[in-house]
Amino acid sequence: MYDIIVVGGGAAGMTACLYSLRNGKTVLLLESESLGGQIATSPRLENYPSIKEISGEQFADNLFEQITALGAEFEIEKVVGIEKKDGVFTVKTEYKEYQAKSVIIAAGVKHKHLRTKSERDDLVGKGVYYCAICDGAFYKGKEVMVIGDANTALQYTLLLSSYCKKVYLYTLFDKLFGDKSLQKAALAKENVEWVKEVAVTDFIGDTELKAVEYKDKDGNIRTHEIPAVFVAIGQIPDNKAFSNLVDLDKEGYIIADETCKTKTEGLFVAGDCRTKPVRQVITAVADGGIAATNASLYLESLE
């Protein structure tokens, strides 16, 4: 029996572990894939107080080392459900069941896939990618495309421009929505070309990507031959496994305010998977600290 089980190993989840451990609680961290969440795929983290610049991967590694040094237990297992009975939470994974007095959900979000008319998900990993830091190096010296208009798309553009021959940045609108510093840096690159007001309609290729079909601002259908596309159009939550104990909004985010409390006593939520106006690493970290503090107070109220 653990004091607290944290579901999700991103910035919010690991910070929740940190604060729980420092409050003297026993903690189990469950992560389905890899540590760090969205921030681990970011080439550069430049908006975190006191850190001028660090890679997202290194930031995540530092946080993981910090919590394991304090005694956090850790398992790579996907959580498929949570139940509460007689004041005890049972967290079910694909392999085992774990029990705790309190649970913090920090499941994060996943990459939103671009829907095309032919639904070419079979080309994911074969020219269509959702993580430039993971797969960009395969296209060193070649031309590539980034689809998106916010921070992640701009970060991908900057990363790819450092070793690709040319980067085409395709956006649906005629403006960018990322940080001004990222916009300025990306557009200053000589090998970056911003293509505005276009809607990608299909991916073309048999066993690998050959070209992208798109509609220009005048409604004309055109194609762009390109070996690789990196899609950065936002994220979606995956909270269905917890819907028996929490309320979800129409987009699937867990409804909770700044206290990080859900409708179930003893169950908390932190990070990008909850309803909130700003989703940044700094707000995820803040959520993790708040959720852990309130979970600790909840546990003390049981004694």
Side-chain angles (χ1 to χ4, degrees), residues 5-9 30-32 77-84 89-94 103-110 236-249 252-255 262-264 267-270 272-274:
I5 290 177
V6 178
V7 180
L30 297 172
E31 166 58 45
S32 62
E77 295 181 28
K78 180 178 176 59
V79 173
V80 297
I82 303 174
E83 295 180 357
K84 184 182 182 184
F89 289 92
T90 298
V91 180
K92 300 180 179 180
T93 74
E94 294 175 318
V103 173
I104 299 172
I105 300 171
V109 291
K110 295 182 178 180
I236 54 175
D238 185 17
N239 293 321
K240 291 182 181 179
F242 320 121
S243 60
N244 59 316
L245 295 179
V246 302
D247 288 326
L248 304 178
D249 70 4
Y253 291 96
I254 297 173
I255 297 174
T262 71
K263 71 174 185 179
T264 300
L267 180 62
F268 303 85
V269 59
D272 290 356
C273 64
R274 82 167 178 90

Side-chain angles (χ1 to χ4, degrees), residues 14 35 58-72:
M14 288 196 284
L35 286 167
Q58 186 60 58
F59 179 83
D61 287 346
N62 290 349
L63 192 48
F64 182 65
E65 289 178 8
Q66 189 175 14
I67 63 173
T68 51
L70 289 172

